[in-house]
Amino acid sequence: MHRAFPVLNRRQLLAGAAGVSAAAMLPVKAWAQEGRLNIRVYTEPDDFDPVDASGFGEALLYGAIYRNLIQYESGDEWSYRLDLAESIEQTSDTTIEFTLKEGQMWSDGYGEITAEDVAFTFERILDPEMNSRILPDVGTLSRVEVTGRYSGVFHFDEAFAPFWWIALPYLAGTIVCKAAIEDAGGRITTEVPPTVSGPYRVRELRPGERWVLERNEDYTGDIPAEYERLDIVYIGDEASAEIALEAGDLDFTEVSPGSVTRLQSNPPAGTAMSMHPSLFYVWVGMNMEHPKLQDIRVRQALQYAINVNAIIEAAWYGVAEPSTGIIAPGLIGNRPESLIPPQGDPQRARELLAEAGVENLQVTLNVLNDVTFTTAAQVMQATMAQAGIQLNIEVHESGSFWTLGVEADGDRWRDLEMIMNRFSMLPDPSYATAWFVTEQIGDWNWERFSDEEFDRLHREAGTETDDARRDEMYRRAQDIMEESGAYRFITHGVTPNLFYNNTVPGTRPDGLPLAQYFRRA
């Protein structure tokens, strides 16, 4: 079935669509009140310039201080709403035309937001000298043509269906001010940007602790700041975040699956909980270039030695399900089952090691210092022993962990053997496969996995407009990953959120917060 080209115009979505109350359309001073909101984020936003963005931490920050042509809705279903765009329409397989709302302003005297800013934003990502880590998000985009002060056209070399879901409303679609970037010397290098456009602005950064935001009095959009002050608080460990919320230091946090039953039966006073299906994917990866793991039979033995069911029961307390790949249920490309059963097979693992002539195998698993992942690692240690494999565990704080496989950050990738990792996800399968192509080796592809068919499928599926065909291609791509022996898929998890009931959280359908939508109850 072919997907119809999306069309959005201001008349259709004048009310801001679902998730934004009529009161949000009032002027800022009539709607926003005194107050402060503390939202926890699990990974610290540490990239000052959107062209350098690397994950959800930045997405949460940028959603509060910048604007996009369209942005995700808050609610239970994936959808998007107009933001800077008055209208935006896919006019052919390779063109998207947009018109901006007039009178949308940058802060601090930088004037009106124009189509030149939009073109400049995407041209920076395309510029090889910028070395943008979000370049894969824009796919086959070749250029942005400015056709008027408020209008322009995105041009693609080939059709790229994911652009609507992973670029326009997310990191790559964060519009920056051309004049401000040029004044800054070509890149934002300070925590306080020279200008912003969102409902909040940066007051200060306390590294390793929090971003402190305040209301942007120059904001001209229709989702004004509800709070005088918004703190994005970095706490990597969910157990620590729960303690912080119960102490009144947080208003909203994701909690660990192991706490769900306790918090549901005995919640802290004045709190509520919501549960959301997650798009995250958790897996155990093997560095294919490490001398211990170059033999595919050894990697396959490790796959069979990992009991996913036991991991989920202990680390996710049975509230999650085993995953079949990196693409979650409900999305194009989700596989009905994995090639290796979730319970594994210790005997098959022993047979594969014997075929490879390997005895007394010892391997090291690297994990984040997070109670869910450390528990999962301990379960792996016990169950893999049944296959005669000794698993050693190395636990890392966030700053150390996220540089393990990055060549630009040193040579530690050479000694990397196994990792338990978790990536965030968006509602298009290309956002999952993008990080495992050959060109991502040494950046996000820590398994150093390289397969020509996989690379081709990722590329062609991104330009395919037939959903049934895309589904087949992404399923096959995940088969290739699993057949390589470099991946053992664990779970997509769940997203349980705990918050004070005087707050109405704004979240994506997968439970991740959208700070700009938070309101008072």
Side-chain angles (χ1 to χ4, degrees):
M1 180 179 72
H2 289 276
R3 176 180 296 169
F5 289 139
V7 180
L8 290 175
N9 60 61
R10 186 166 173 77
R11 180 173 297 174
Q12 291 170 321
L13 296 176
L14 185 60
V20 181
S21 69
M25 306 298 288
L26 295 174
V28 171
K29 291 183 179 179
W31 170 237
Q33 304 173 29
E34 293 289 330
R36 173 175 168 179
L37 178 70
N38 296 312
I39 299 176
R40 175 245 176 173
V41 66
Y42 64 88
T43 179
E44 184 176 15
D46 56 6
D47 294 310
F48 301 152
D49 193 318
V51 79
D52 299 316
S54 59
F56 180 73
E58 284 78 24
L60 180 62
L61 172 66
Y62 298 160
I65 66 174
Y66 291 112
R67 298 176 67 185
N68 297 48
L69 294 178
I70 60 176
Q71 62 174 276
Y72 294 128
E73 284 279 20
S74 171
D76 295 330
E77 296 184 2
W78 285 100
S79 60
Y80 42 71
R81 67 185 300 277
L82 293 170
D83 187 7
L84 286 172
E86 175 81 24
S87 64
I88 184 166
E89 178 180 0
Q90 183 109 32
T91 49
S92 75
D93 280 353
T94 57
T95 55
I96 296 175
E97 297 183 9
F98 68 89
T99 301
L100 297 176
K101 301 170 186 174
E102 298 183 22
Q104 303 305 297
M105 306 300 291
W106 293 109
S107 68
D108 301 279
Y110 273 94
E112 194 174 21
I113 301 170
T114 70
E116 287 285 351
D117 295 316
V118 177
F120 178 75
T121 295
F122 287 91
E123 287 165 359
R124 296 178 79 219
I125 296 171
L126 292 171
D127 183 354
E129 292 188 3
M130 297 303 294
N131 194 29
S132 176
R133 298 184 79 184
I134 54 174
L135 177 61
D137 293 11
V138 301
T140 61
L141 179 69
S142 58
R143 63 188 177 93
V144 182
E145 176 189 4
V146 175
T147 57
R149 181 172 176 81
Y150 304 107
S151 61
V153 182
F154 293 96
H155 291 272
F156 299 82
D157 291 330
E158 297 177 275
F160 185 60
F163 194 73
W164 285 90
W165 288 107
I166 70 173
L168 287 173
Y170 199 55
L171 293 171
T174 303
I175 305 303
V176 297
C177 177
K178 180 179 180 180
I181 298 291
E182 290 175 344
D183 286 349
R187 213 178 207 108
I188 300 173
T189 58
T190 58
E191 63 267 24
V192 179
T195 184
V196 296
S197 57
Y200 295 92
R201 59 186 301 142
V202 177
R203 179 191 296 178
E204 64 172 316
L205 166 64
R206 301 175 190 173
E209 180 189 346
R210 69 184 63 216
W211 285 80
V212 180
L213 311 184
E214 61 188 6
R215 180 184 293 137
N216 173 20
E217 299 292 352
D218 295 329
Y219 176 67
T220 50
D222 55 12
I223 311 176
E226 170 76 345
Y227 301 91
E228 288 288 339
R229 173 171 164 174
L230 167 64
D231 284 21
I232 297 175
V233 184
Y234 165 60
I235 302 177
D237 179 61
E238 290 162 348
S240 299
E242 293 165 24
I243 294 171
L245 185 135
E246 293 187 41
D249 297 328
L250 288 176
D251 298 296
F252 174 95
T253 182
E254 180 182 348
V255 298
S256 66
S259 299
V260 169
T261 301
R262 173 180 63 83
L263 292 170
Q264 286 178 331
S265 61
N266 187 28
T271 65
M273 177 179 286
S274 61
M275 296 283 288
H276 307 264
S278 175
L279 293 187
F280 279 108
Y281 48 98
V282 179
W283 79 98
V284 174
M286 297 80 161
N287 179 359
M288 297 176 66
E289 294 183 7
H290 192 280
K292 290 183 183 179
L293 303 174
Q294 290 176 356
D295 190 322
I296 189 173
R297 294 169 296 186
V298 174
R299 299 195 301 271
Q300 290 173 336
L302 292 170
Q303 288 178 312
Y304 277 101
I306 297 171
N307 186 330
V308 175
N309 290 340
I311 291 172
I312 290 175
E313 185 62 33
W316 277 268
Y317 288 77
V319 299
E321 296 290 335
S323 62
T324 62
I326 56 177
I327 299 171
L331 298 184
I332 291 170
N334 173 253
R335 298 191 300 174
E337 60 184 9
S338 55
L339 303 180
I340 298 173
Q343 70 272 18
D345 186 340
Q347 181 57 38
R348 180 57 182 149
R350 287 180 177 274
E351 292 170 357
L352 285 162
L353 289 176
E355 291 174 15
V358 174
E359 297 179 354
N360 302 317
L361 178 63
Q362 294 188 35
V363 288
T364 298
L365 175 70
N366 295 268
V367 298
L368 269 169
N369 187 12
D370 173 279
V371 63
T372 301
F373 292 106
T374 55
T375 300
Q378 290 166 354
V379 173
M380 285 178 56
Q381 191 175 54
T383 58
M384 292 174 73
Q386 299 173 18
I389 299 169
Q390 180 178 325
L391 182 69
N392 302 312
I393 301 170
E394 288 192 7
V395 180
H396 301 263
E397 297 302 327
S398 179
S400 170
F401 180 85
W402 289 110
T403 60
L404 283 172
V406 181
E407 290 182 10
D409 290 324
D411 292 330
R412 290 196 299 165
W413 64 270
R414 298 182 186 276
D415 298 321
L416 194 64
E417 296 178 13
M418 298 176 67
I419 63 269
M420 176 174 283
N421 215 335
R422 181 178 85 159
F423 277 6
S424 59
M425 178 59 177
L426 296 175
D428 190 278
S430 66
Y431 198 77
T433 54
W435 315 112
F436 303 99
V437 295
T438 300
E439 65 185 22
Q440 286 293 323
I441 289 175
D443 198 353
W444 293 112
N445 181 350
W446 295 1
E447 293 77 18
R448 307 186 74 80
F449 162 76
S450 178
D451 184 274
E452 290 184 5
E453 183 185 1
F454 180 92
D455 292 353
R456 177 181 58 78
L457 286 168
H458 168 72
R459 184 173 59 253
E460 293 179 357
T463 64
E464 178 61 62
T465 57
D466 185 293
D467 284 350
R469 177 64 182 137
R470 292 188 82 207
D471 186 68
E472 294 175 3
M473 296 166 83
Y474 285 115
R475 289 188 184 193
R476 173 57 189 152
Q478 292 167 96
D479 287 347
I480 295 169
M481 293 177 72
E482 192 169 8
E483 289 166 355
S484 75
Y487 301 91
R488 182 62 158 144
F489 305 120
I490 306 298
T491 186
H492 296 288
V494 293
T495 307
N497 290 329
L498 185 68
F499 52 92
Y500 282 98
N501 53 25
N502 61 356
T503 301
V504 180
T507 67
R508 302 183 338 188
D510 59 354
L512 295 185
L514 298 167
Q516 66 271 31
Y517 287 112
F518 274 66
R519 292 291 182 261
R520 298 174 184 274

